Amino acid sequence: MIISDSAKKQIDIWIEKYPQGKQSSAVMEALKLVQAENDNQLTSEAIQAVADYLDMPGIAAAEVATFYENYNHKPVGKHIIRFCHNISCMLNGADDLITHLETKLGVKTGEVTKDGLISVKKVECLGACVGAPMFQIDDQYYEHLTADKIDDIVDGLK
Amino acid sequence: MASITIEIDGNIVNAKAGERLITITDREGISVPRFCYHKKLSVSTSCRMCLVDIEGVTKPQTACSTPVSDGMKIHTQNEKAKASQKAVMEFLLINHPLDCPICDQGGECELQDVAVEYGSDVSRFSEGKRVVAPSDIGPLIQTDMTRCIHCTRCVRFGSEIAGIMEMGGTGRGEDLKIEPFLAEGITSELSGNMIDVCPVGALTSKPFRYELRSWQMASADSVARHDLVGSNLYAQTYKGLVKRVVSGDNELVNETWISDRDRFSYEGLAHENRLLLPQIKVEGQWKEVEWNVALDFAIKGLNKNALNSRKAHKLGGLASSTATTEEFYLMQKMLREIGCENIDYRLNVNNLDDPIHLDSNIKLSDLECVDNVLVIGANLRLEQPMINLRLRKAQLAGASVSALNVKAFDYNHKTNHSTVSPNEIATILAGALKVILEKNSLEAPSYITNINPSELSINLADKLLDSERSVIVLGEHVINNTQAASIAQMVAEIAKQVNGKTLNLTSSANTLGAQYAHFLPKSKGMNTNEMLAADMSAFLLLDIYPEYDFHHSNSAVEALSKDDVFVVSLNSFNNELVAQYSDVLLPMAAMYETSGSHVNINHDMQSFAAAVKAPEEAKPAWKILKVIADLLELPGFHYENVTQVSEELKHQKIYEHKQDITIDLGKKSSAIETIWMHSAYHSDALLRHAKSLSSSKIGQTNSASMNTATAKELSLECGNTYLGVPVVVSDTVADRCVFVSSNQSTDMGRES
């Protein structure tokens, strides 16, 4: 069973928020909930299961799932570092910091550390330009990053 | 909408307020380049190619999405418009490969054509181009998605017209790819239209891959004969062979779409089993001979076995329902001239004593305007895809669709399915009729006085009474219902009471042509089943393959194989069984190789000319029949061309052997009900020989579906076979019923 009863209950809450017959509008939340239950990853089966539950074509759910950065289609680490490399962060040295992070962890962006603890992703603007350069680890933003600050933060991840 | 005047390129043009600009320019013959816009699809505004300059608006606007208002001044050709269009073109070409020389779309490519006018001869883009890995989406469509310009016509076609969204755009930005989601690829029965709508070479015809350039081929108007619609299409030919089929436009018939079976059936023409030379059987050995020898042999055999000894009543004439109207007409004329009344095209009907009579009294184009549909015994999507397409439109516009079927078929629109056994249909309709008559304060006939309408009957009756434009569709699964005639009669009565229309889809292909040609037994003639049971001495067969065509396939083979029966077969294909019972094999032209006409459900007699000559010695069947008639020295066969035959039969009234039906609702069988249907791509000989269709998902369908309880009663499970067909256990099937959809012959018979 790809969608648990508890996830279904939560999806239903989202379905309720939309007019009747527009249940497919809940697709983003549904994908998020199902992803959380499946090792933080969406397989084709999981996307199809969400589509079936929302009575929409599988490909329509897949369009959404592949459009957004926050859905994972490959195995990911326990923590995901989403490093912004858009204009404000880039001007403030994001590219060098990303290289620093890659060297420190021994992985390229898009990969997972060998111990399965950390994935690194390059993402577009996260809307925190005032704190550039920045990244997001799981649900938390970290701003005004420097190489030292990154070392401290990453070393603290368990 | 209010009439307004606008100005396009300095010319005053009348329009309606709110109309899209591009529909006006198209109407006025003003050329505006476009890729994503398609007149039958929603507007997506994704390609940006149709930019035009509107006075008073700073930025150029897309003609496809801009509604016009009074006094609007539009420039489609000025510097600003041209510069915008050229800029868009440059962007579209950034990632498009320069592989036109090896691209099948070359020469008929919208991108290529527009690039000639709007493109630059040198690209300023020196970075790497996007490449999309090839993927296999099935045997009908070839993909080269590196060429895709993301117009999303195929995606919109799937979700809006075919009713099954299979293509979609995954990824984002540079990584956006148009692709199906799962590995099973594209399965729609209308998928080939994606090839037609694709403006570039991303989606092309797989069977046609690397064959020819479009300008090398001649194009002939033709009409498909696989269903009751007679879709208009173009057969594209090269050196006497049909190389490709593309859709034609006819708003009243098929709009601009055709089904995959109409599009790809031409492949069967080149099958190695085509019958190419006349053959006669001498002392059990087949001999290839000249036409005159074969015809002499046939005439001698017919004379000896039937005519000379005044045994014309022992001669039988049977034809496949895919024959042209003219073939039906000539064959029956000839047979009647020699005193033979044993004429029939109804091969797959179990009981011909109480035939179904039901008019089709609604135009195809009106089907999309109905507000209530009741479908009885049909898997419309596969059996009559073009009719389903119209009904789907009606449903999307708000019509309620109910279906009484043995199985909850996968319709591509919202349908209230009621899975019922064929046994119950008559009672359900009787109940509904009773409710309707009571509402109309009319007296119920005696056969329904004892009926106690079920909830389903009341529900159906209410829907029919509430609607203003109902249509009741009687489908092919009903033909072998023990109460078929009663069901048809009640459908007619219900429609009359609610002021609705009826659509009779119980037989397909050119069966209406057969009725116009009077290809049915009159007075003392025998019908198919009577012929098979009688002591016949000769048969004249037109394109018949008993192992597929007959309901009673075993008795058919037996009847035809008797030693003292002389069988003349006009066939387009040869096979072991045909060779076993025939005495003469006369090779006949198949679809696209013969001229004639098809009568569709609207009673439109659509004529078509042969697109190619039949291969080798094969001849159009109307010519063969005419020569046989001449050799038999029959009067009235001085035809020089098929048009003269058409002229002669044009004034004929449709022949129906109407008889009063006593509705008897008690007539039920207690056995497990089997509904046998050939899969949609095996319904006639040409389709069965079309390789790509056969290997598609629909063509591969071969299953006997039954629910768990029925499987248990029959001691069957998945992995077993039922009448030789693999069992599928599915609880979408009504109790004590088996629905067979098979791509194989009916060697085992069609009944349990």
Side-chain angles (χ1 to χ4, degrees), chain B residues 573-593:
Chain B
F573 294 93
N574 196 359
N575 69 31
E576 253 174 60
L577 195 59
V578 171
Q580 175 204 312
Y581 62 71
S582 299
D583 292 279
V584 191
L585 284 170
L586 303 176
M588 67 173 260
M591 207 166 130
Y592 304 119
E593 296 167 356

Side-chain angles (χ1 to χ4, degrees), chain A residues 108-127:
Chain A
K108 290 276 172 207
T109 48
E111 294 175 353
V112 192
T113 53
K114 271 189 192 141
D115 56 5
L117 188 65
I118 301 169
S119 303
V120 185
K121 279 185 167 190
K122 259 199 243 185
V123 299
E124 310 304 332
C125 185
L126 290 169

Side-chain angles (χ1 to χ4, degrees), chain B residues 35-282:
Chain B
F35 298 112
C36 70
Y37 173 79
H38 188 284
K39 61 180 178 184
K40 291 276 175 191
L41 302 174
S42 68
V43 170
S44 78
T45 339
S46 56
C47 76
R48 319 300 299 177
M49 193 64 212
C50 62
L51 289 175
V52 293
D53 179 26
I54 299 173
E55 279 185 24
V57 183
T58 328
K59 292 188 175 179
Q61 301 295 310
T62 46
C64 68
S65 65
T66 307
V68 294
S69 55
D70 201 17
M72 204 180 238
K73 287 184 181 164
I74 298 126
H75 300 279
T76 66
Q77 311 289 328
N78 71 2
E79 210 174 305
K80 190 168 159 191
K82 285 277 175 193
S84 314
Q85 291 163 354
K86 282 186 175 166
V88 171
M89 189 77 234
E90 186 171 14
F91 273 109
L92 285 171
L93 291 176
I94 275 182
N95 277 311
H96 192 80
L98 271 176
D99 63 347
C100 305
I102 56 148
C103 173
D104 266 340
Q105 193 85 352
E108 52 179 359
C109 175
E110 293 174 43
L111 188 72
Q112 202 178 29
D113 293 347
V114 177
V116 169
E117 195 174 344
Y118 297 89
S120 164
D121 46 359
V122 179
S123 173
R124 289 188 287 169
F125 185 76
S126 54
E127 289 80 358
K129 289 191 177 215
R130 183 171 46 90
V131 174
V132 181
S135 64
D136 184 1
I137 63 166
L140 304 177
I141 304 178
Q142 176 66 43
T143 62
D144 282 282
M145 298 319 272
T146 304
R147 297 177 186 144
C148 176
I149 57 165
H150 305 156
C151 71
T152 70
R153 276 188 191 173
C154 58
V155 178
R156 283 175 286 146
F157 172 79
S159 60
E160 293 166 19
I161 307 291
I164 154 171
M165 186 179 173
E166 294 186 292
M167 288 295 224
T170 62
R172 185 183 60 202
E174 181 80 350
D175 302 321
L176 177 60
K177 268 196 289 187
I178 302 292
E179 59 178 4
F181 175 43
L182 295 173
E184 65 186 71
I186 299 295
T187 59
S188 163
E189 71 285 1
L190 300 166
S191 68
N193 293 299
M194 291 186 194
I195 300 168
D196 283 353
V197 297
C198 181
V200 297
L203 304 176
T204 50
S205 166
K206 206 172 216 175
F208 180 68
R209 194 169 202 215
Y210 297 148
E211 288 274 338
L212 287 163
R213 289 295 179 199
S214 59
W215 64 80
Q216 292 174 289
M217 296 183 288
S219 196
D221 290 12
S222 198
V223 174
R225 299 209 296 278
H226 301 298
D227 59 25
L228 286 167
V229 172
S231 293
N232 292 192
L233 39 80
Y234 296 105
Q236 301 184 319
T237 64
Y238 178 73
K239 290 193 175 167
L241 294 173
V242 179
K243 286 296 190 178
R244 183 171 66 170
V245 167
V246 294
S247 64
D249 281 348
N250 190 336
E251 279 303 312
L252 298 175
V253 180
N254 56 313
E255 301 175 71
T256 181
W257 316 116
I258 57 172
S259 61
D260 282 0
R261 70 175 165 190
D262 291 346
R263 185 182 301 269
F264 294 107
S265 66
Y266 75 89
E267 271 197 293
L269 296 175
H271 195 278
E272 62 268 21
N273 285 0
R274 277 303 293 271
L275 181 62
L276 299 169
L277 300 168
Q279 296 176 33
I280 56 174
K281 199 191 260 170
V282 186

Side-chain angles (χ1 to χ4, degrees), chain B residues 650-667:
Chain B
K650 208 164 72 181
H651 307 291
Q652 293 225 128
K653 289 240 161 55
I654 199 158
Y655 177 75
E656 275 195 296
H657 176 56
K658 281 215 169 152
Q659 58 191 48
D660 289 333
I661 292 153
T662 338
I663 294 181
D664 177 8
L665 298 175
K667 214 164 76 181

Side-chain angles (χ1 to χ4, degrees), chain B residues 288-299:
Chain B
E288 288 174 355
V289 293
E290 297 286 319
W291 264 105
N292 56 354
V293 179
L295 286 169
D296 272 349
F297 188 85
I299 302 294

